[in-house]
Amino acid sequence: MAHVPAEDQLEHIAAAIDEIATADVQRLEQLRTSLLGRKAGALTHVLRSIPALDAEQRRTVGRRANELKHAIESAITARERTLAAAVGTGPAVDRTMPGRRRWRGARHPITQVVDEICGIFRELGFSRIMGPEAETEEYNFTKLNIPLDHPAADMQDTFYLKPGVVLRTHTSPVQARTMERYAPPIRVVVPGLAYRRDPFDPSHAPVFDQIEGLVVDEGVSFVDFKAAIDFFAKRFFSADTAVRFRPSYFPFTEPSAEVDAQCQNCRGTGCSTCKQTGWMEIMGAGMVHPAVFEACGIDSERYTGYAFGMGPARIAMVRYGIPDIRMFFDNDMRFLDQFLE
Amino acid sequence: MYASLNWLGRLLGTELDPQETAERLTVVGATVDAVEPVHAELGDVVIGLVEQVGKHPNADRLTLCRVSTGKGTVEVVCGAPNVRAGMKYPYAAAGAVLPGGFKLERRKIRGVVSNGMLCSAKELGLGADQDGILELDTVAAPGTPLLEALDLADTRLEVDVTPNRPDLLAQRGIARELAAAMGLTVKLPAFEGAPAVPAARRVKRSGSVGGIEVIVEDDEGCPRYGAAVIRGVRIGPSPEWLQARLRSVGARPINNVVDATNYILHEINQPLHAFDINDLRGGKLIIRRANDGERITTLDGEDHPLTSEMTMICDADGAIAIAGVMGGENTEVSDETTDILLECAYFDRRRIRATRTALRMDTDASYRFERGTDLEGLPAALRRAVELIIAVAGGEEPEAAIDVCPRLPQPTTVFLRPSRVEHLLGVAVPQDEIERLLGSVGFTLAPRDGRLAVQVPGWRPDVTREVDLIEEVARLRGYDSFPVEMRPFRPTTVPDAPSELRSALVRQVLTALGIHEARTLPLGPVGGEHAQPVQNPLSSEETHLRTDLLPGLVRSVERNWSARARDIRLFEIGRVFRATTGATPPVETLRIAVVLTGARQPGHWADVSGIDFDLWDLKGMLEEVVGVAAPGGAAVAPDGADGWEVTGPDGTVLGRGGELDADGPPWAAPLFGIEIDLAVAETPAVRYRALPTTPPIERDLALVLPATVAAKDVEEVVRGAGGSMLESVAVFDEYRAKELVGRSVAWRLVFRDPSRTLRDAEVDRSVNQILRALKERLGVERRES
């Protein structure tokens, strides 16, 4: 081809560019080789010949050859893309792409436990009520058979607001308020906050949730009490959960009991959660002390009843495996996100 | 409280199994929290026989002993002056761990390797004697564990004693419970070397013993005071058995007299106090109320101001002990003491409680007096204490002790109806079973008038009424013996609290709107002038009850920000408090608060990203919350600042919403907050409205509003002028541009007559009416298109 002038060769090459836009994959490869190939490429040939040309030709041929080189390269790239797109378009909708979600909110984990517990007692005919958190000493202590000059008053370290007024140390004052307001039969559960002067540590908080329960009617006995608590524990934990009643002392119940459920972590064989005992304490409870009835204007000969108090936060910690009670008050979004229902 | 298994076994005359004993006690109400070996830290120590004592080559004061350890013979370097060949001593090999966690290593002492150590009593925590290594008079072979050879092996039970059972604060009380469960009896062992001690002489208010005049002036604070004089005691260390007993229940041996009093305390729950007679001034001991302003320095060196509400033990010159709490340093028993006056008293429970509370002194004695000691058993306790002191410290009583007691206590009798037992417990318990159960723990029963007259033993001050006995029956019979049997019950008369129902509804709505429920502390820093202070706060951060929920929620937002969370949505339902004057509790209000910041919705790849909550989200959320929290109806209106105010039908402010100030990081989005009262009014019942069957006609109005006119004003005029055909009015666009004077707001009006199809012409007339009214009243005109 040496006898063909470089200018003519270039015009020839330029004519080939149009074909690139319609070439199929095979033809495109042929064109690339025939035009730009290192050995036999027509344009490569022209470019190599440039140093042998005279000065003027070198300038014009050189400029034109470079223009063409760019044009050919971009035409090939564009065609490649088009061809690739034609074969790889994929489905119109990629159904593995993430869907559009909305924010969701969760009830606080303690609320979830409280609601579940109250729901179980509702099956046993308990209604759900509340009472004040700032109480008089009379309702918090005296009416509950806790004389202030008795060591039993030391069982709870109390926040005082003013003389005779405290932050309730338990939800039990609502027992007295309910008995004064309603006639038996009474069956109520009372969720709410209680306050004790315990500094924060992994298992104590100065403010904590409690659920009080109270039943008053004629003929309510220790057997009724055991049956209700056993029903609750088996419904809340599982039907095969063992429940243990241990004698204990609370000024406002007699007989009094600490109620233990089989440790849910080890199923009773002993582990660090239950301090190797196989049991976990779930509530303090007992038959309503006649002195409490008398302080609330209820005939203690005619009526009997039972009462209980439990800590849903402690129960939530066991249920969800939460190591530190303070997490309930931190309101970390990553924590709360875990309790979506 | 600690119980020693050996001690209990001695009182019961049998060997006890640790786990079985713990279980037995737990089921009768003396919950055992822990079972642990006593002196477990001495497990590595064995008997070593010194076969040969040689000189240490490099030190004059050290010896090099050949010690047979049971596993062979080793060389031990010893520094004790009392080491002798042929004697046995406690030996700890290299690698053994001694009390205090000290681990013994093989090391060179003055160039010679010592393979372990011969130990002193002090090093083993078995006494204060430091003069040399502990000589063991034992037949046990070398290599025998020390615990075994010395009979030190014991198990300690940690018993959780409830405040109603002072009797369980001593070994005898625990033993009584076990005796009842096991069908045994409790017998206090006699002390070796104790003389026959005569019974105390009872006197009414005063009497003389051993030359000391004892006068009880305050018989209210001190209903009974026993005093014995023992002359010629020799103060010194107690015998090993007594020290071991005290250590087994966690008490530290001091000297024979003090140890003897502590032994009686732990055995039968009777606190005692020994005075040095030679320090008693004027030969008198007076039990009286303190004079206001009187002072005393107690054994611990502390000086205390006294009041007339405290009972004191005094000599002729002044106070020598705070009754039932602590002795004074002026009459303390010392190493030189030879003559003592032993006090064995009953102090009033309330008096002791008030005294120790006022003085902030909680002692072993006050703890027990406050819960109630055995008033009737006092003379026997005094006698036993004298026996023990003479047995371990020598001396003798110049004359019988005295028992100052103005009124002899009458045993409490409580009547029990067997029918009431069944009534309360739900199971009929036969009378003979009741008698057997109560008898097993010391009650005496006699049938009287169809009831049981039950005499309560002096150590059970908690039993004062029938129900106390019924509990005893239930407890001793075992709670497990009562069936789990669901019996019929009647429905409650108490309705659900409206606030509980309303709270549940609010939670449902707000969680559905994507907001998490939070809990914050009701205690915090002062929040405004109406904040109720706490008199005894735990920290300076928690001095007041909250007056608003939002500050706590904002703190939670800030905590989330510091955990690099940007999208935060929290609500809380809780009480706020407002201080009142006078003696009434603060006023409590149930509130709901919401905080919102960050993305309006989770990011999605197909959407324009980064749309954050804005003012209109806040206003919309506020309207949602008002809808559910104020069912009685409430208005949301601009509050004159940057937010909105919520007012009830009667004009009271129920709450507000708006953007909040917070200390956010630079990347945080604006923070919005809402707080309103949670009304407990009932939601008006829903009334169904017939669905329309006629077609609506819509008209869009783009109006130009001058700067002074608000959208709300326009809507009011539109509704007023639109007539009954106008069904709804809603903004659908706002447009602001330079060529407009004011702004253009577009409304969509829907017209409908439920009874017939409207014609365009009548709707046009209505629209014209509306436009006329707008122009006249507000100067608002339709925008030229």
Side-chain angles (χ1 to χ4, degrees):
Chain A
M1 294 222 298
H3 57 279
V4 183
E7 286 90 340
D8 293 354
Q9 288 183 39
L10 287 175
E11 286 324 300
H12 225 83
I13 290 167
I17 292 179
D18 288 346
E19 201 194 335
I20 292 174
T22 55
D24 63 11
V25 178
Q26 242 175 345
R27 180 69 188 139
L28 190 64
E29 202 45 44
Q30 283 171 1
L31 286 168
R32 187 208 306 275
T33 316
S34 67
L35 296 172
L36 300 175
R38 271 202 299 157
K39 285 181 186 157
L43 189 59
T44 316
H45 183 78
V46 174
L47 286 167
R48 280 195 190 134
S49 71
I50 289 173
L53 300 175
D54 62 48
E56 180 156 353
Q57 260 196 319
R58 235 185 296 182
R59 206 168 37 249
T60 53
V61 171
R63 187 185 303 135
R64 177 71 180 146
N66 271 319
E67 279 172 13
L68 280 175
K69 189 172 179 231
H70 277 287
I72 292 165
E73 279 172 349
S74 50
I76 288 176
T77 309
R79 184 60 185 158
E80 273 176 346
R81 250 189 228 140
T82 312
L83 288 170
V87 292
T89 238
V93 178
D94 176 357
R95 290 174 203 279
T96 65
M97 295 284 273
R100 189 181 279 115
R101 305 290 293 264
R102 297 272 143 182
W103 292 133
R104 287 186 59 205
R107 285 176 298 154
H108 194 275
I110 293 180
T111 305
Q112 294 186 32
V113 168
V114 167
D115 286 352
E116 186 177 339
I117 291 171
C118 293
I120 293 170
F121 281 103
R122 184 172 294 285
E123 292 180 52
L124 294 177
F126 288 67
S127 55
R128 178 168 168 171
I129 60 167
M130 44 71 74
E133 290 172 17
E135 267 293 6
T136 59
E137 282 183 324
E138 189 187 9
Y139 278 93
N140 195 72
F141 296 115
T142 321
K143 281 178 186 275
L144 296 170
N145 195 31
I146 312 172
L148 290 167
D149 56 1
H150 190 271
D154 295 348
M155 291 165 89
Q156 304 153 359
D157 214 346
T158 311
F159 281 116
Y160 274 83
L161 298 180
K162 52 176 89 168
V165 179
V166 302
L167 285 169
R168 66 180 178 191
T169 56
H170 43 193
T171 43
S172 310
V174 189
Q175 284 189 30
R177 294 189 173 277
T178 308
M179 286 190 265
E180 288 176 347
R181 186 163 166 203
Y182 296 97
I186 292 169
R187 301 175 77 82
V188 292
V189 280
V190 193
L193 291 179
Y195 300 75
R196 285 187 202 171
R197 249 181 125 265
D198 282 335
F200 264 119
D201 70 27
S203 52
H204 293 91
V207 183
F208 56 97
D209 284 81
Q210 235 185 24
I211 299 178
E212 190 79 10
L214 175 69
V215 169
V216 181
D217 200 0
E218 292 172 18
V220 177
S221 76
F222 193 69
V223 169
D224 297 304
F225 157 65
K226 278 189 71 177
I229 302 308
D230 188 78
F231 174 89
F232 157 73
K234 288 188 160 53
R235 185 60 65 91
F236 186 83
F237 297 110
S238 64
D240 59 351
T241 295
V243 181
R244 176 172 84 163
F245 295 79
R246 271 187 291 122
S248 188
Y249 167 73
F250 306 104
F252 37 99
T253 52
E254 188 160 25
S256 298
E258 295 268 8
V259 184
D260 302 331
Q262 196 175 46
C263 177
Q264 298 298 298
N265 192 38
C266 61
R267 304 301 303 177
T269 55
C271 67
S272 60
T273 303
C274 59
K275 292 185 192 137
Q276 309 304 327
T277 61
W279 297 97
M280 49 181 215
E281 223 171 273
I282 58 168
M283 65 172 78
M287 303 304 292
V288 178
H289 198 289
V292 175
F293 283 139
E294 287 149 18
C296 300
I298 286 193
D299 181 347
S300 64
E301 267 301 295
R302 181 170 165 199
Y303 293 104
T304 49
Y306 58 86
F308 55 85
M310 60 180 127
R314 196 77 44 103
I315 293 175
M317 288 172 78
V318 173
R319 162 170 284 194
Y320 301 117
I322 295 167
D324 192 323
I325 200 164
R326 287 171 284 205
M327 302 189 80
F328 289 129
F329 293 97
D330 282 347
N331 304 315
D332 190 308
M333 291 294 286
R334 296 165 299 180
F335 175 79
L336 298 173
D337 280 341
Q338 297 178 25
F339 299 95
L340 281 171
E341 295 162 86
Chain B
M1 123 91 191
Y2 289 122
S4 147
L5 205 66
N6 284 359
W7 199 337
L8 296 174
R10 185 73 203 280
L11 295 175
L12 291 165
T14 184
E15 291 234 347
L16 296 170
D17 175 76
Q19 290 307 329
E20 207 177 277
T21 305
E23 187 59 29
R24 277 188 210 285
L25 289 172
T26 296
V27 300
V28 294
T31 301
V32 175
D33 288 336
V35 178
E36 59 195 22
V38 178
H39 293 308
E41 70 279 9
L42 296 184
D44 290 342
V45 181
V46 299
I47 303 295
L49 171 65
V50 173
E51 294 175 340
Q52 191 187 324
V53 178
K55 276 190 62 74
H56 188 290
N58 308 321
D60 290 343
R61 293 203 173 165
L62 300 179
T63 53
L64 189 58
C65 307
R66 288 186 62 77
V67 179
S68 165
T69 68
K71 285 185 188 161
T73 306
V74 295
E75 283 201 324
V76 176
V77 176
C78 181
N82 63 335
V83 63
R84 281 179 294 147
M87 290 294 293
K88 291 173 183 165
Y89 304 96
Y91 166 75
V97 178
L98 293 180
F102 167 60
K103 186 169 180 197
L104 213 53
E105 312 214 349
R106 169 169 306 159
R107 62 188 188 100
K108 280 187 181 175
I109 299 171
R110 289 287 188 99
V112 178
V113 172
S114 181
N115 298 289
M117 173 172 133
L118 298 172
C119 311
S120 70
K122 183 163 191 200
E123 281 156 345
L124 299 177
L126 294 177
D129 187 6
Q130 271 193 99
D131 295 343
I133 51 179
L134 182 62
E135 291 182 10
L136 300 173
D137 179 17
T138 173
V139 294
T144 310
L146 182 73
L147 291 177
E148 215 174 282
L150 290 193
D151 204 16
L152 280 175
D154 193 357
T155 302
R156 180 185 288 165
L157 307 178
E158 196 186 334
V159 186
D160 184 9
V161 177
T162 54
N164 61 324
R165 291 294 302 273
D167 60 311
L168 298 184
L169 294 170
Q171 308 299 311
R172 180 167 66 175
I174 302 279
R176 279 197 197 104
E177 293 293 330
L178 290 170
M182 300 168 77
L184 300 169
T185 49
V186 178
K187 195 163 176 289
L188 297 180
F191 302 119
E192 196 182 318
V197 171
R201 296 166 286 135
R202 181 174 166 242
V203 296
K204 281 217 154 164
R205 291 197 174 268
S206 64
S208 166
V209 59
I212 307 290
E213 177 94 18
V214 179
I215 306 153
V216 175
E217 290 179 0
D218 177 16
D219 62 332
E220 190 187 325
C222 177
R224 193 166 205 176
Y225 194 92
V229 167
I230 304 171
R231 294 197 183 270
V233 298
R234 286 176 311 279
I235 304 292
S238 306
E240 186 47 44
W241 70 266
L242 177 51
Q243 295 194 29
R245 283 278 184 259
L246 292 181
R247 279 191 215 103
S248 71
V249 294
R252 193 167 53 92
I254 295 167
N255 62 47
N256 46 10
V257 170
V258 174
D259 292 354
T261 61
N262 278 332
Y263 177 95
I264 299 296
L265 175 85
H266 289 288
E267 185 188 61
I268 55 183
N269 195 37
Q270 174 62 57
L272 301 161
H273 188 72
F275 297 96
D276 187 328
I277 285 185
N278 298 322
D279 293 334
L280 282 184
R281 296 157 296 188
K284 273 187 182 167
L285 199 72
I286 306 153
I287 295 89
R288 60 161 171 85
R289 283 175 183 265
N291 299 318
D292 285 317
E294 203 174 348
R295 304 187 79 88
I296 187 173
T297 302
T298 41
L299 285 173
D300 54 5
E302 295 284 320
D303 181 58
H304 303 277
L306 307 171
T307 74
S308 59
E309 290 311 301
M310 301 170 182
T311 301
M312 308 304 301
I313 315 299
C314 309
D315 63 12
D317 287 2
I320 55 170
I322 305 169
V325 180
M326 196 181 276
E329 63 177 6
N330 48 2
T331 54
E332 192 181 353
V333 170
S334 69
D335 288 349
E336 283 73 47
T337 299
T338 54
D339 304 328
I340 61 169
L341 182 139
L342 182 67
E343 163 193 295
C344 176
Y346 180 96
F347 297 112
D348 179 68
R349 294 157 65 171
R350 290 185 167 77
R351 180 71 56 83
I352 297 298
R353 179 173 167 76
T355 303
R356 73 103 181 139
T357 311
L359 298 178
R360 298 212 170 91
M361 297 174 81
D362 214 349
T363 62
D364 263 355
S366 72
Y367 191 82
R368 289 167 158 83
F369 282 127
E370 191 187 328
R371 281 159 176 73
T373 54
D374 184 353
L375 180 58
E376 294 159 41
L378 187 146
L382 174 58
R383 192 171 182 175
R384 186 161 173 80
V386 172
E387 285 171 4
L388 180 56
I389 289 174
I390 294 174
V392 299
E396 58 183 20
E397 277 190 302
E399 63 177 320
I402 55 168
D403 170 16
V404 189
C405 186
R407 285 172 304 277
L408 269 187
Q410 294 305 311
T412 310
T413 298
V414 177
F415 288 94
L416 175 65
R417 294 162 294 173
S419 63
R420 191 70 186 172
V421 174
E422 178 177 2
H423 187 77
L424 190 62
L425 299 183
V427 168
V429 183
Q431 186 164 328
D432 59 347
E433 190 182 348
I434 293 174
E435 289 177 20
R436 181 176 59 73
L437 292 171
L438 292 178
S440 73
V441 288
F443 293 91
T444 321
L445 293 90
R448 201 186 295 170
D449 312 330
R451 302 181 298 176
L452 289 166
V454 183
Q455 212 176 81
V456 180
W459 61 83
R460 289 299 302 273
D462 59 309
V463 177
T464 58
R465 55 189 293 174
E466 187 180 44
V467 68
D468 301 326
L469 293 170
I470 298 176
E471 178 177 60
E472 286 297 293
V473 171
R475 179 176 82 79
L476 295 166
R477 193 171 189 260
Y479 283 4
D480 282 348
S481 72
F482 296 88
V484 172
E485 182 186 303
M486 191 64 78
R487 296 176 179 172
F489 56 84
R490 301 197 290 175
T492 181
T493 57
V494 186
D496 281 319
S499 62
E500 289 293 301
L501 297 173
R502 180 60 49 186
S503 300
L505 191 62
V506 170
R507 286 192 183 99
Q508 201 179 321
V509 169
L510 289 177
T511 53
L513 288 169
I515 309 173
H516 283 315
E517 186 185 7
R519 297 200 152 212
T520 64
L521 278 190
L523 296 165
V526 62
E529 56 172 326
H530 297 296
Q532 168 68 51
V534 176
Q535 287 187 326
N536 52 345
L538 272 172
S539 78
S540 57
E541 298 293 297
E542 293 156 12
T543 54
H544 287 74
L545 284 168
R546 61 186 172 191
T547 50
D548 298 285
L549 299 179
L550 276 176
L553 284 178
V554 170
R555 283 193 286 274
S556 292
V557 168
E558 287 164 348
R559 199 173 299 121
N560 272 291
W561 275 335
S562 61
R564 312 212 57 83
R566 188 173 179 279
D567 304 332
I568 305 157
R569 304 163 311 283
L570 299 170
F571 78 89
E572 180 173 14
I573 300 172
R575 313 272 179 95
V576 296
F577 302 80
R578 191 188 157 92
T580 53
T581 52
T584 53
V587 174
E588 294 179 31
T589 312
L590 194 59
R591 287 265 184 86
I592 158 82
V594 183
V595 284
L596 297 172
T597 180
R600 185 184 289 163
Q601 287 302 337
H604 189 256
W605 54 272
D607 294 342
V608 182
S609 62
I611 300 182
D612 288 332
F613 284 116
D614 65 14
L615 217 49
W616 304 113
D617 291 303
L618 181 266
K619 189 182 180 194
M621 185 68 73
L622 181 59
E623 287 164 342
E624 299 267 19
V625 173
V626 166
V628 64
V636 175
D639 64 0
D642 298 335
W644 290 271
E645 199 169 68
V646 183
T647 44
D650 60 352
T652 51
V653 177
L654 301 177
R656 62 177 308 277
E659 188 168 349
L660 301 176
D661 286 332
D663 198 8
W667 44 261
L671 173 65
F672 301 97
I674 292 169
E675 175 156 359
I676 74 167
D677 288 355
L678 196 60
V680 294
E682 297 208 355
T683 312
V686 172
R687 283 291 300 173
Y688 160 78
R689 290 184 305 273
L691 304 180
T693 52
T694 55
I697 293 182
E698 292 176 3
R699 288 286 189 272
D700 290 351
L701 288 185
L703 303 172
V704 179
L705 275 56
T708 54
V709 175
K712 182 170 166 280
D713 308 331
V714 173
E715 279 201 28
E716 275 171 15
V717 172
V718 170
R719 283 182 195 281
S724 61
M725 294 186 302
L726 181 59
E727 188 181 79
S728 69
V729 181
V731 172
F732 72 90
D733 191 25
E734 184 192 46
Y735 172 73
R736 291 171 192 260
K738 277 188 211 126
E739 73 269 18
L740 289 175
V741 181
R743 59 193 166 125
S744 165
V745 180
W747 272 268
R748 176 153 300 159
L749 278 47
V750 179
F751 294 87
R752 193 195 315 257
D753 186 323
S755 60
R756 65 192 176 90
T757 301
L758 288 176
R759 280 166 296 147
D760 279 339
E762 46 187 336
V763 171
D764 289 344
R765 272 200 299 279
S766 181
V767 168
N768 285 334
Q769 250 174 44
I770 289 170
L771 288 170
R772 263 198 308 279
L774 284 170
K775 187 171 182 190
E776 278 168 23
R777 287 192 232 159
L778 300 174
V780 167
E781 288 191 84
R782 203 162 189 172
R783 181 176 149 206
E784 306 294 326
S785 46

